[in-house]
Amino acid sequence: MIRPDSEAPRPDAAEAAHMPMPPSVQAGRMAHAIFRVARLHRMLAGQLLRRVGLHPGQELVMMQLWDLGPQRQIDLIRLLGSDAATMTRTIKRLEHAGFVRRRPSPTDKRATIIEPTEASLALRHQVDEVWAELEECTAGGLPEERQAEAVQVLELIEASLALAATRHAHRETGGQAAPPEGRAGRT
């Protein structure tokens, strides 16, 4: 009897990392590898962040606020390459948890300023520890020079994907698309 996917046994993360690549993805070996790595990285980040009461992505918002100070919500969207709906949900959840507060901009009545609360400052050290542990799990087995090489390759891949996304958006909108925000697009 074939069981529905929801009932099928699932391999654990370690087993999944060593599964052979399905023949149907041979034409996209790198894309498939990136998908698998990103999925496992996000899963581990989620597990680690849960210990401090955050979900993946929320720590990035907090890091920006801690490092740069209060920001307009639109600036957080641009800094993190997010969309408005996702950022609104993230800010609401962080506000509900007591880590940020919103206030109207004194210079632009349409804008909202997001600022970290005093309560979030205790969280900062914990987030730093989580990111250090995530980094160790991600690259701990690689010598430092290989880690630097890996970061360079990932930056090249990011730049290539950002350029492709811009081209595709440009074609879809008949030339009216703005370049995607993110690290690769900034100088």
Side-chain angles (χ1 to χ4, degrees):
M1 178 177 151
I2 298 176
R3 296 185 288 185
D5 285 343
S6 62
E7 296 178 25
R10 293 184 170 211
D12 68 9
E15 289 174 6
H18 298 291
M19 288 186 161
M21 188 180 318
S24 59
V25 298
Q26 289 297 322
R29 291 177 49 220
M30 185 177 297
H32 189 254
I34 290 169
F35 170 80
R36 290 189 336 263
V37 167
R39 181 180 48 79
L40 287 168
H41 188 269
R42 185 167 177 86
M43 180 187 71
L44 179 58
Q47 291 170 352
L48 297 174
L49 287 166
R50 208 167 316 153
R51 296 189 313 215
V52 299
L54 294 176
H55 296 282
Q58 291 177 334
E59 86 283 13
L60 296 173
V61 171
M62 295 309 307
M63 289 172 164
Q64 292 295 334
L65 294 172
W66 292 324
D67 290 345
L68 302 175
Q71 298 290 309
R72 295 181 314 161
Q73 187 165 325
I74 189 68
D75 294 329
L76 288 170
I77 290 167
R78 288 184 184 130
L79 283 167
L80 296 170
S82 183
D83 60 77
T86 299
M87 185 59 68
T88 298
R89 280 192 308 273
T90 299
I91 297 298
K92 283 182 181 179
R93 289 176 180 151
L94 289 169
E95 186 177 37
H96 182 71
F99 297 134
V100 301
R101 77 176 130 259
R102 290 186 279 184
R103 61 178 167 82
S105 169
T107 58
D108 181 354
K109 297 302 177 200
R110 298 168 298 166
T112 301
I113 303 294
I114 311 302
E115 58 188 14
T117 62
E118 288 295 320
S120 79
L121 298 180
L123 185 67
R124 187 175 190 167
H125 179 70
Q126 294 174 304
V127 169
D128 289 344
E129 288 178 349
V130 164
W131 266 68
E133 186 175 348
L134 185 59
E135 185 76 3
E136 178 62 30
C137 291
T138 302
L142 294 173
E144 283 191 35
E145 63 274 2
R146 293 298 303 265
Q147 290 181 33
E149 289 171 20
V151 169
Q152 287 177 329
V153 169
L154 289 169
E155 287 172 346
L156 289 172
I157 291 169
E158 179 186 19
S160 179
L161 290 171
L163 182 60
T166 299
R167 286 182 182 147
H168 287 284
H170 193 266
R171 275 188 237 135
E172 289 176 359
T173 61
Q176 302 301 314
E181 297 295 332
R183 215 168 152 253
R186 289 186 283 167
T187 56

